[in-house]
Amino acid sequence: MHHIPEIKSGQSIELLKALHILTRDGKLNQDSRRKLKQVNHLVQFIAPLIQDVMKTNPDLTLVDHGAGKSYLGFLLYDAVFKAMPGGQVIGVETRADLVQKSQALAAECRFERMRFLHVSAADAAQVDAIPAQVEIVTALHACDTATDDAIQFGLKKHAKYMVLVPCCQAEMARALREVKGETLSMTPLSELWRHPIHTREFGSHLTNVLRCLQLEVHGYQVTVTELVGWEHAMKNELIIARYTGQPKKSARARLEAILEAFHLQSMQTRFV
Protein backbone atom coordinates (compact mmCIF):
# COMPACT_ATOMS: atom_id res chain seq x y z
CA MET A 1 0.00 0.00 0.00
CA HIS A 2 2.97 2.34 0.48
CA HIS A 3 3.03 3.12 -3.25
CA ILE A 4 -0.36 4.88 -3.09
CA PRO A 5 0.50 8.46 -2.02
CA GLU A 6 -3.11 9.33 -1.11
CA ILE A 7 -3.04 6.81 1.74
CA LYS A 8 -1.51 8.34 4.84
CA SER A 9 0.78 6.49 7.20
CA GLY A 10 -1.29 4.62 9.77
CA GLN A 11 -4.58 4.88 7.91
CA SER A 12 -6.75 1.80 8.26
CA ILE A 13 -6.81 -0.09 4.98
CA GLU A 14 -9.83 -2.09 6.10
CA LEU A 15 -11.73 1.13 6.85
CA LEU A 16 -10.93 2.51 3.40
CA LYS A 17 -12.21 -0.73 1.87
CA ALA A 18 -15.38 -0.63 4.00
CA LEU A 19 -16.00 2.95 2.84
CA HIS A 20 -15.54 1.71 -0.76
CA ILE A 21 -12.70 4.15 -1.25
CA LEU A 22 -10.42 1.20 -1.85
CA THR A 23 -11.49 -1.83 -3.84
CA ARG A 24 -11.33 -5.26 -2.19
CA ASP A 25 -7.88 -5.82 -3.63
CA GLY A 26 -6.65 -2.48 -2.34
CA LYS A 27 -6.84 -0.41 -5.51
CA LEU A 28 -8.04 3.16 -6.05
CA ASN A 29 -10.11 4.19 -9.03
CA GLN A 30 -9.94 7.76 -10.31
CA ASP A 31 -13.04 8.96 -8.46
CA SER A 32 -11.99 7.35 -5.17
CA ARG A 33 -8.45 8.71 -5.51
CA ARG A 34 -9.83 12.24 -5.82
CA LYS A 35 -12.27 11.74 -2.94
CA LEU A 36 -9.61 10.36 -0.59
CA LYS A 37 -7.21 13.16 -1.46
CA GLN A 38 -9.90 15.75 -0.79
CA VAL A 39 -11.04 14.37 2.55
CA ASN A 40 -7.47 13.77 3.74
CA HIS A 41 -6.71 17.39 2.89
CA LEU A 42 -9.61 18.51 5.05
CA VAL A 43 -8.56 16.17 7.88
CA GLN A 44 -5.18 17.95 7.89
CA PHE A 45 -6.97 21.21 8.71
CA ILE A 46 -9.28 19.75 11.36
CA ALA A 47 -6.94 17.39 13.24
CA PRO A 48 -4.90 20.24 14.84
CA LEU A 49 -8.12 21.88 16.02
CA ILE A 50 -9.22 18.65 17.73
CA GLN A 51 -5.81 18.32 19.37
CA ASP A 52 -5.97 21.95 20.52
CA VAL A 53 -9.34 21.43 22.22
CA MET A 54 -8.20 18.13 23.76
CA LYS A 55 -5.44 19.93 25.65
CA THR A 56 -8.10 21.31 28.00
CA ASN A 57 -11.07 19.07 27.23
CA PRO A 58 -10.21 15.42 26.44
CA ASP A 59 -13.90 14.54 26.25
CA LEU A 60 -14.83 16.89 23.42
CA THR A 61 -17.73 16.42 21.01
CA LEU A 62 -17.42 16.94 17.26
CA VAL A 63 -20.68 17.12 15.29
CA ASP A 64 -20.53 16.64 11.53
CA HIS A 65 -23.57 18.05 9.70
CA GLY A 66 -24.77 16.63 6.41
CA ALA A 67 -22.55 13.65 7.11
CA GLY A 68 -23.65 11.65 4.05
CA LYS A 69 -21.57 8.48 3.94
CA SER A 70 -19.46 9.99 6.75
CA TYR A 71 -16.12 9.82 4.98
CA LEU A 72 -14.95 12.84 6.98
CA GLY A 73 -16.16 11.54 10.34
CA PHE A 74 -14.64 8.08 9.86
CA LEU A 75 -11.28 9.39 8.64
CA LEU A 76 -11.13 11.89 11.51
CA TYR A 77 -11.90 9.16 14.02
CA ASP A 78 -9.30 6.89 12.47
CA ALA A 79 -6.66 9.66 12.37
CA VAL A 80 -7.25 11.30 15.77
CA PHE A 81 -9.99 9.96 18.03
CA LYS A 82 -8.99 6.29 17.83
CA ALA A 83 -5.75 7.00 19.69
CA MET A 84 -7.42 9.25 22.27
CA PRO A 85 -8.99 7.99 25.52
CA GLY A 86 -12.00 10.28 25.15
CA GLY A 87 -13.98 12.43 22.77
CA GLN A 88 -16.80 11.53 20.42
CA VAL A 89 -17.91 12.09 16.84
CA ILE A 90 -21.61 12.53 16.04
CA GLY A 91 -22.75 12.44 12.43
CA VAL A 92 -25.99 14.25 11.57
CA GLU A 93 -27.73 13.07 8.40
CA THR A 94 -31.29 13.23 7.02
CA ARG A 95 -31.10 10.03 4.95
CA ALA A 96 -32.02 7.10 7.19
CA ASP A 97 -30.29 4.47 5.04
CA LEU A 98 -26.94 6.29 5.26
CA VAL A 99 -27.34 6.64 9.03
CA GLN A 100 -27.94 2.89 9.38
CA LYS A 101 -24.96 2.00 7.18
CA SER A 102 -22.68 4.34 9.12
CA GLN A 103 -23.86 2.94 12.45
CA ALA A 104 -23.13 -0.59 11.24
CA LEU A 105 -19.67 0.38 9.99
CA ALA A 106 -18.79 2.14 13.26
CA ALA A 107 -19.76 -1.03 15.15
CA GLU A 108 -17.74 -3.17 12.74
CA CYS A 109 -14.68 -0.94 13.18
CA ARG A 110 -15.21 -0.81 16.96
CA PHE A 111 -15.37 2.97 16.90
CA GLU A 112 -17.31 3.04 20.17
CA ARG A 113 -17.32 6.83 20.49
CA MET A 114 -18.90 7.43 17.09
CA ARG A 115 -22.67 7.87 16.69
CA PHE A 116 -25.07 8.85 13.95
CA LEU A 117 -28.40 10.61 14.21
CA HIS A 118 -31.24 10.71 11.70
CA VAL A 119 -32.04 14.41 12.02
CA SER A 120 -31.68 17.62 10.04
CA ALA A 121 -29.09 20.27 10.85
CA ALA A 122 -31.97 22.67 11.56
CA ASP A 123 -33.39 20.39 14.29
CA ALA A 124 -30.14 19.00 15.70
CA ALA A 125 -29.78 21.64 18.41
CA GLN A 126 -32.97 20.39 20.08
CA VAL A 127 -31.94 16.72 20.11
CA ASP A 128 -31.26 15.35 23.61
CA ALA A 129 -28.66 12.90 22.28
CA ILE A 130 -26.35 15.83 21.49
CA PRO A 131 -24.65 17.52 24.49
CA ALA A 132 -25.38 21.11 25.41
CA GLN A 133 -21.75 21.94 24.68
CA VAL A 134 -20.26 20.96 21.31
CA GLU A 135 -16.65 21.96 20.81
CA ILE A 136 -16.24 21.46 17.05
CA VAL A 137 -18.83 21.71 14.26
CA THR A 138 -18.09 20.58 10.72
CA ALA A 139 -20.17 20.76 7.55
CA LEU A 140 -18.74 19.38 4.33
CA HIS A 141 -20.91 20.32 1.33
CA ALA A 142 -24.09 20.61 3.39
CA CYS A 143 -26.42 21.68 0.61
CA ASP A 144 -28.40 24.91 0.31
CA THR A 145 -29.28 26.36 3.74
CA ALA A 146 -27.95 23.35 5.69
CA THR A 147 -24.61 25.17 6.08
CA ASP A 148 -26.50 28.10 7.63
CA ASP A 149 -28.29 25.65 9.92
CA ALA A 150 -24.91 24.20 10.93
CA ILE A 151 -23.70 27.71 11.80
CA GLN A 152 -26.82 28.33 13.92
CA PHE A 153 -26.23 24.99 15.62
CA GLY A 154 -22.63 25.98 16.37
CA LEU A 155 -23.71 29.32 17.82
CA LYS A 156 -26.30 27.67 20.07
CA LYS A 157 -23.82 25.01 21.20
CA HIS A 158 -21.04 27.57 21.86
CA ALA A 159 -18.63 25.77 19.55
CA LYS A 160 -14.97 26.69 19.85
CA TYR A 161 -14.37 25.86 16.19
CA MET A 162 -16.54 25.67 13.09
CA VAL A 163 -15.14 24.21 9.87
CA LEU A 164 -17.34 24.74 6.82
CA VAL A 165 -17.01 23.82 3.16
CA PRO A 166 -20.14 25.46 1.71
CA CYS A 167 -22.09 23.89 -1.11
CA CYS A 168 -24.75 25.23 -3.45
CA GLN A 169 -26.99 27.90 -1.92
CA ALA A 170 -30.22 28.69 -3.71
CA GLU A 171 -31.93 30.93 -1.15
CA MET A 172 -29.81 34.00 -1.91
CA ALA A 173 -30.21 33.54 -5.68
CA ARG A 174 -34.00 33.48 -5.23
CA ALA A 175 -33.86 36.67 -3.20
CA LEU A 176 -31.66 38.37 -5.80
CA ARG A 177 -34.05 37.38 -8.58
CA GLU A 178 -36.97 38.85 -6.65
CA VAL A 179 -35.35 42.31 -6.47
CA LYS A 180 -33.71 42.19 -9.92
CA GLY A 181 -36.35 44.34 -11.62
CA GLU A 182 -36.09 46.93 -8.87
CA THR A 183 -32.29 47.10 -8.72
CA LEU A 184 -31.51 47.04 -12.45
CA SER A 185 -32.67 50.63 -12.80
CA MET A 186 -31.15 51.78 -9.52
CA THR A 187 -27.56 50.62 -9.47
CA PRO A 188 -24.95 49.29 -11.92
CA LEU A 189 -24.03 46.75 -9.24
CA SER A 190 -27.05 44.73 -10.35
CA GLU A 191 -25.00 43.73 -13.40
CA LEU A 192 -23.20 41.38 -11.02
CA TRP A 193 -26.25 39.11 -11.03
CA ARG A 194 -28.25 40.10 -14.13
CA HIS A 195 -27.59 36.86 -16.03
CA PRO A 196 -29.00 33.66 -14.47
CA ILE A 197 -25.64 31.89 -14.14
CA HIS A 198 -24.22 35.00 -12.44
CA THR A 199 -27.24 35.13 -10.15
CA ARG A 200 -26.44 31.62 -8.94
CA GLU A 201 -22.68 32.07 -8.60
CA PHE A 202 -22.84 35.58 -7.13
CA GLY A 203 -25.57 34.42 -4.74
CA SER A 204 -23.27 31.69 -3.43
CA HIS A 205 -20.34 34.08 -3.06
CA LEU A 206 -22.45 36.73 -1.34
CA THR A 207 -23.88 34.13 1.02
CA ASN A 208 -20.40 33.08 2.13
CA VAL A 209 -19.35 36.70 2.66
CA LEU A 210 -22.39 37.24 4.87
CA ARG A 211 -21.74 33.97 6.74
CA CYS A 212 -18.23 35.17 7.60
CA LEU A 213 -19.54 38.51 8.85
CA GLN A 214 -22.23 36.71 10.86
CA LEU A 215 -19.57 34.61 12.58
CA GLU A 216 -17.50 37.73 13.32
CA VAL A 217 -20.57 39.39 14.85
CA HIS A 218 -20.78 36.46 17.27
CA GLY A 219 -17.17 36.63 18.38
CA TYR A 220 -15.41 34.31 15.94
CA GLN A 221 -12.14 34.93 14.17
CA VAL A 222 -12.63 33.79 10.59
CA THR A 223 -10.14 32.43 8.08
CA VAL A 224 -11.16 31.73 4.49
CA THR A 225 -8.91 29.62 2.32
CA GLU A 226 -8.96 27.27 -0.64
CA LEU A 227 -8.93 23.50 -0.61
CA VAL A 228 -6.33 22.75 -3.26
CA GLY A 229 -7.23 20.09 -5.77
CA TRP A 230 -10.97 20.22 -5.17
CA GLU A 231 -13.14 20.42 -8.24
CA HIS A 232 -16.04 22.79 -8.89
CA ALA A 233 -15.10 26.40 -8.26
CA MET A 234 -17.79 27.17 -5.68
CA LYS A 235 -17.12 24.01 -3.67
CA ASN A 236 -13.49 24.49 -2.70
CA GLU A 237 -13.90 27.34 -0.23
CA LEU A 238 -12.96 26.48 3.36
CA ILE A 239 -14.20 28.66 6.22
CA ILE A 240 -12.58 28.09 9.61
CA ALA A 241 -14.02 30.01 12.54
CA ARG A 242 -12.41 30.11 15.99
CA TYR A 243 -14.32 31.51 18.95
CA THR A 244 -12.49 34.36 20.69
CA GLY A 245 -15.41 36.00 22.47
CA GLN A 246 -14.48 39.32 20.88
CA PRO A 247 -16.97 40.36 18.17
CA LYS A 248 -15.50 42.36 15.32
CA LYS A 249 -16.78 45.87 15.93
CA SER A 250 -17.67 46.73 12.35
CA ALA A 251 -19.06 43.32 11.37
CA ARG A 252 -22.75 43.93 12.12
CA ALA A 253 -22.78 47.35 10.45
CA ARG A 254 -21.06 45.95 7.36
CA LEU A 255 -23.42 42.99 7.19
CA GLU A 256 -26.49 45.22 7.41
CA ALA A 257 -25.02 47.67 4.88
CA ILE A 258 -24.47 44.87 2.35
CA LEU A 259 -28.04 43.64 2.73
CA GLU A 260 -29.31 47.17 2.25
CA ALA A 261 -27.04 47.86 -0.74
CA PHE A 262 -28.38 44.82 -2.56
CA HIS A 263 -31.98 45.35 -1.37
CA LEU A 264 -31.90 42.09 0.54
CA GLN A 265 -33.48 43.17 3.82
CA SER A 266 -35.70 40.08 3.54
CA MET A 267 -32.58 38.03 4.35
CA GLN A 268 -32.05 39.90 7.62
CA THR A 269 -33.27 37.07 9.83
CA ARG A 270 -30.94 34.58 8.16
CA PHE A 271 -27.73 36.43 8.96
CA VAL A 272 -28.33 39.00 11.69
Side-chain angles (χ1 to χ4, degrees):
M1 288 300 166
H2 64 277
H3 65 282
I4 301 178
E6 288 79 10
I7 297 178
K8 303 299 181 184
S9 175
Q11 272 192 314
S12 168
I13 301 304
E14 292 308 310
L15 173 62
L16 295 178
K17 288 181 180 179
L19 289 170
H20 303 292
I21 291 175
L22 284 179
T23 60
R24 289 182 181 179
D25 57 353
K27 300 289 180 60
L28 276 172
N29 62 36
Q30 186 175 355
D31 182 60
S32 294
R33 186 181 299 274
R34 183 177 64 251
K35 190 172 296 180
L36 180 58
K37 184 177 181 180
Q38 290 173 350
V39 180
N40 274 340
H41 191 197
L42 192 54
V43 167
Q44 288 178 346
F45 281 99
I46 301 173
L49 310 184
I50 298 170
Q51 291 160 349
D52 176 57
V53 175
M54 281 187 168
K55 291 175 185 175
T56 54
N57 182 6
D59 199 30
L60 71 88
T61 297
L62 181 151
V63 175
D64 182 31
H65 288 277
K69 295 180 180 179
S70 296
Y71 294 118
L72 177 61
F74 277 110
L75 294 185
L76 278 172
Y77 197 102
D78 187 49
V80 185
F81 286 87
K82 188 171 66 174
M84 299 291 184
Q88 65 174 332
V89 174
I90 300 175
V92 169
E93 173 56 47
T94 57
R95 289 165 287 184
D97 60 322
L98 295 183
V99 171
Q100 292 168 359
K101 288 177 182 177
S102 293
Q103 287 172 335
L105 179 55
E108 180 184 332
C109 294
R110 297 183 181 178
F111 289 178
E112 293 91 354
R113 289 172 282 114
M114 194 170 191
R115 295 185 292 135
F116 300 90
L117 301 176
H118 179 214
V119 65
S120 69
D123 296 331
Q126 286 74 49
V127 174
D128 292 337
I130 298 178
Q133 174 76 47
V134 171
E135 286 72 25
I136 300 178
V137 173
T138 60
L140 172 57
H141 294 167
C143 287
D144 203 5
T145 57
T147 298
D148 301 299
D149 295 333
I151 291 173
Q152 287 300 321
F153 173 91
L155 295 177
K156 290 174 184 175
K157 295 294 187 178
H158 310 291
K160 181 172 183 179
Y161 288 106
M162 293 192 222
V163 181
L164 314 166
V165 180
C167 192
C168 54
Q169 213 276 7
E171 187 180 43
M172 181 64 73
R174 287 194 297 270
L176 287 169
R177 279 194 293 270
E178 287 175 5
V179 299
K180 187 178 293 186
E182 175 186 352
T183 57
L184 276 173
S185 60
M186 296 179 64
T187 171
L189 288 176
S190 60
E191 291 295 330
L192 292 171
W193 70 89
R194 179 161 64 92
H195 299 287
I197 188 172
H198 293 159
T199 305
R200 185 185 71 229
E201 301 293 334
F202 180 69
S204 289
H205 176 69
L206 184 57
T207 297
N208 290 339
V209 169
L210 292 171
R211 285 166 173 163
C212 292
L213 285 169
Q214 178 186 33
L215 288 163
E216 290 176 341
V217 167
H218 288 276
Y220 285 82
Q221 183 182 64
V222 178
T223 302
V224 184
T225 188
E226 180 183 18
L227 285 166
V228 180
W230 285 50
E231 294 184 351
H232 206 300
M234 295 308 294
K235 291 188 179 183
N236 63 353
E237 184 172 338
L238 172 64
I239 300 171
I240 299 177
R242 179 175 67 87
Y243 185 70
T244 64
Q246 299 176 334
K248 188 174 181 180
K249 291 181 180 179
S250 62
R252 182 179 293 275
R254 289 174 181 271
L255 194 159
E256 292 176 346
I258 289 172
L259 291 174
E260 183 177 354
F262 292 106
H263 301 271
L264 294 169
Q265 288 88 340
S266 62
M267 301 291 290
Q268 190 97 352
T269 55
R270 170 67 70 188
F271 298 104
V272 177

